[in-house]
Amino acid sequence: MGAAVLVVNLSVLQFRARLAGLNMHILSGNRRMAVRLTAACLTAACLLTPPALADPVAAPGDLRLRHDLQLLGDAGLLNIPLTTWPVPWGDISNALADKNKVHNSALRASWQRVHQRMDNEFSSRLKMSSRLAAVALPARFRTFTDTPRSSAEAGMTASVTGDYLAVHLEGTAAVRKPRDRKHWRPDGSYAAVSLGNWIVSAGWQDRWWGPAWEGSLIMSTNARPLPAISILRNASEAFDMPVLRWLGPWQFRMFQARLEGDRVTPNALLTGMRLSFKPTPSLEIGFSRGIQWGGAGRPQNLATFLRALAGRDNVGQKGITRANQPGNQLAGYDMRWVSPLFDLPYAVYTQWIGEDESRGFPISYMAIIGGEIWGTWGDAGASWRLHMEYADTAAHLFSGSLSNRNVAYEHHIYRSGYRYYNQSLGHSIDGDGLSFSLGGVLVDSTGRSWEMVFRQIRSNRDGISPGVVKIPAEHILAVEGRGVFDTDLGQFQIGASLYRSRLNASPNVRYRASAELQWQVHY
């Protein structure tokens, strides 16, 4: 693990030194930032000799695509890190095995779907799509699957990929009852350029860090995507140096984002970084870190960031006071291990994210523990996957106290918490929650996917919300199902859900049902 941490620190220092000066000036407003960052990408594209394709990325939200990639990865046909999204299509293209090595009907079907999608993404032509969506009750607890964020939405996308530049423009009109009262959203838009084996991008990109299917403790798609500048490796090739070759294929990414102005400590900054690697084809390990710093009335210079990077951000620590305290941090580890015992199609995974620090290491952990199994259905190319997952977002594991509540995703300076427009950037159950879920996906021989999940959730177990965002204390049972299928008229996603909830302070039980319909057409 020491070598892995060294890689993170070296990479962070290299890229931070290059980008720190730029970030201090860029992050002065969402609209202004978008113009400047896009202009910077276009200028770089004009000045650089095209070294390699600035590949687009596969964004989180497509459960069928994730299942296909993971199925190929677990079969040894795609040896790249797959617990960190977005995933570069260039990485998939470089590592995907030839079709003649695929001997199973379900794997052949997955390979064909991935290859077809990849060919479309690499096409240099202008690609456009339109989307309409409606849902009776927007999901309060979001998972990896992309679902509407408001009662009615309409959107359009336009994208083009060149030899060294990729531009993806996306606009969504939230027609009815958006939670954040933002009726127009650029979510999903970005511009990217290739610099050797690195992709530099600017825009509003969804992220999902970790091996779980129902949530991530540090970076998920629960909140809307942040406006950010980011850098990641295009191809996760292993090191040539013998001392680091044991890491296997590795991926590093880092972003600098700006939070909204309508919050306590407006316009705070968020720096995220993640290293994931596969020392063996069956084992993937990840290290993640999020640093919330700066903002109106707070120190926001390079020295402040370096103190936070070094872990000197606790009051009373080497001259750190409440006035100059750098910020709020989360950090931790995750792992996914295929068939640790016996040669069977299953995997176990876990994620541990600490809300505090002691002697340079995270403490006061939140945790996810899960397992999954998969297989084929008949011999016509159908495949399935089941997962069982437990999440605890009370930061009391290894904290020295089982009653360490009202800490997770909260901070005494950043009182709006580790959130964006009041939505947790980590797990959707927010702080002090408990979740048990059992879910599955079936992809049939025609490529249609069917998803079902059962969840039992306890939100805000002690009923106290120390920050400005108030989380209801509830017991919730939920059943959700949806299907995704392609037709000549476009892609349809149809879903239904049933919720049973009871507030902790009330004996009354409430039932709610919801239906969902999405339609998307490409041209």
Side-chain angles (χ1 to χ4, degrees):
M1 295 298 177
V5 174
L6 176 62
V7 172
V8 173
N9 289 335
L10 288 176
S11 302
V12 167
L13 291 175
Q14 289 172 357
F15 293 115
R16 190 67 241 173
R18 295 177 186 175
L19 297 176
L22 179 65
N23 290 339
M24 295 301 105
H25 302 286
I26 283 180
L27 301 173
S28 59
N30 286 356
R31 193 170 298 173
R32 186 186 304 172
M33 189 185 87
V35 173
R36 291 185 179 181
L37 294 184
T38 304
C41 290
L42 294 173
T43 302
C46 294
L47 296 177
L48 291 170
T49 302
L53 183 70
D55 296 322
V57 293
D62 188 336
L63 188 67
R64 178 176 58 182
L65 176 62
R66 183 179 177 184
H67 167 73
D68 283 338
L69 293 176
Q70 200 66 72
L71 201 66
L72 294 168
D74 293 337
L77 301 172
L78 183 64
N79 190 24
I80 63 172
L82 290 173
T83 62
T84 310
W85 291 73
V87 179
W89 280 108
D91 205 10
I92 298 170
S93 176
N94 290 336
L96 186 60
D98 293 335
K99 189 175 184 179
N100 56 18
K101 296 182 179 179
V102 183
H103 304 295
N104 176 287
S105 61
L107 290 173
R108 279 196 299 270
S110 290
W111 189 97
Q112 187 62 44
R113 284 191 295 269
V114 170
H115 205 274
Q116 183 177 357
R117 174 79 176 269
M118 191 164 54
D119 287 344
N120 181 65
E121 297 291 347
F122 286 161
S123 170
S124 60
R125 66 177 176 85
L126 176 66
K127 299 179 286 290
M128 300 183 68
S129 69
S130 300
R131 182 179 71 93
L132 295 174
V135 62
L137 295 172
R140 176 181 165 191
F141 303 104
R142 295 178 65 85
T143 66
F144 185 86
T145 300
D146 185 26
T147 57
R149 294 184 181 273
S150 58
S151 298
E153 296 178 352
M156 291 193 69
T157 67
S159 60
V160 63
T161 300
D163 289 334
Y164 49 87
L165 173 67
V167 177
H168 180 91
L169 302 178
E170 186 167 344
T172 300
V175 181
R176 291 192 62 215
K177 300 179 181 179
R179 289 179 178 175
D180 55 9
R181 301 184 299 278
K182 302 296 181 182
H183 289 276
W184 172 254
R185 303 167 179 174
D187 300 356
S189 300
Y190 67 89
V193 293
S194 177
L195 301 173
N197 192 34
W198 295 91
I199 299 174
V200 180
S201 64
W204 294 260
Q205 293 177 276
D206 277 314
R207 295 173 175 85
W208 184 279
W209 291 0
W213 296 85
E214 300 298 316
S216 167
L217 297 172
I218 190 166
M219 188 59 57
S220 74
T221 57
N222 180 57
R224 289 177 48 208
L226 304 166
I229 182 171
S230 64
I231 187 165
L232 70 156
R233 295 189 83 209
N234 190 4
S236 57
E237 298 168 343
F239 280 104
D240 290 331
M241 295 179 291
V243 68
L244 294 175
R245 192 176 299 156
W246 65 271
L247 291 172
W250 64 281
Q251 175 62 256
F252 175 79
R253 59 192 63 201
M254 180 177 179
F255 71 82
Q256 177 66 69
R258 182 177 183 269
L259 301 177
E260 75 275 24
D262 185 17
R263 62 183 290 127
V264 179
T265 313
N267 305 321
L269 305 180
L270 180 68
T271 303
M273 58 198 77
R274 178 169 169 85
L275 169 72
S276 54
F277 58 95
K278 296 187 71 175
T280 72
S282 63
L283 177 63
E284 183 171 347
I285 298 171
F287 297 88
S288 301
R289 190 174 183 183
I291 305 175
Q292 195 174 8
W293 62 292
R298 301 299 305 169
Q300 189 173 296
N301 52 33
L302 182 59
T304 301
F305 176 80
L306 292 177
R307 281 196 296 270
L309 188 65
R312 292 176 52 203
D313 60 351
N314 290 327
V315 174
Q317 192 177 34
K318 296 183 180 179
I320 301 300
T321 65
R322 185 183 177 91
N324 67 7
Q325 184 178 6
N328 176 37
Q329 296 198 47
L330 284 79
Y333 331 95
D334 55 76
M335 178 197 71
R336 183 180 185 273
W337 196 357
V338 178
S339 303
L341 295 175
F342 313 112
D343 186 18
L344 296 172
Y346 77 99
V348 293
Y349 57 85
T350 188
Q351 184 178 44
W352 297 72
I353 298 296
E355 261 281 5
D356 206 346
E357 173 268 339
S358 177
R359 299 181 180 180
F361 290 93
I363 59 171
S364 301
Y365 286 97
M366 303 175 282
I368 290 176
I369 300 173
E372 56 188 293
I373 59 174
W374 58 89
T376 61
W377 188 286
D379 56 3
S383 58
W384 56 269
R385 184 180 303 269
L386 294 175
H387 69 266
M388 184 169 59
E389 190 170 303
Y390 169 86
D392 186 345
T393 59
H396 58 197
L397 301 174
F398 300 109
S399 68
S401 172
L402 292 178
S403 60
N404 193 29
R405 303 286 176 86
N406 309 308
V407 173
Y409 305 134
E410 305 289 356
H411 195 259
H412 64 279
I413 294 175
Y414 299 99
R415 300 201 64 235
S416 295
Y418 188 75
R419 301 180 179 93
Y420 185 56
Y421 287 110
N422 294 337
Q423 300 298 305
S424 167
L425 291 164
H427 207 290
S428 62
I429 63 175
D430 214 292
D432 293 342
L434 196 67
S435 171
F436 173 80
S437 59
L438 179 64
V441 59
L442 168 68
V443 182
D444 66 25
S445 57
T446 65
R448 294 172 297 191
S449 65
W450 308 92
E451 174 190 356
M452 180 71 74
V453 61
F454 165 81
R455 287 184 287 177
Q456 182 176 5
I457 297 169
R458 292 180 60 193
S459 64
N460 192 11
R461 280 175 278 178
D462 65 358
I464 299 173
S465 296
V468 299
V469 178
K470 304 305 178 184
I471 309 299
E474 287 183 278
H475 290 248
I476 300 160
L477 294 176
V479 179
E480 300 176 15
R482 61 182 51 86
V484 179
F485 49 96
D486 301 305
T487 72
D488 293 337
L489 299 177
Q491 184 184 86
F492 290 86
Q493 178 171 305
I494 300 176
S497 55
L498 178 64
Y499 302 92
R500 177 189 184 274
S501 63
R502 180 180 62 81
L503 294 172
N504 287 4
S506 171
N508 298 326
V509 175
R510 183 172 58 165
Y511 291 89
R512 293 175 298 163
S514 180
E516 165 199 338
L517 174 63
Q518 290 195 72
W519 169 75
Q520 186 171 28
V521 61
H522 297 267
Y523 34 80

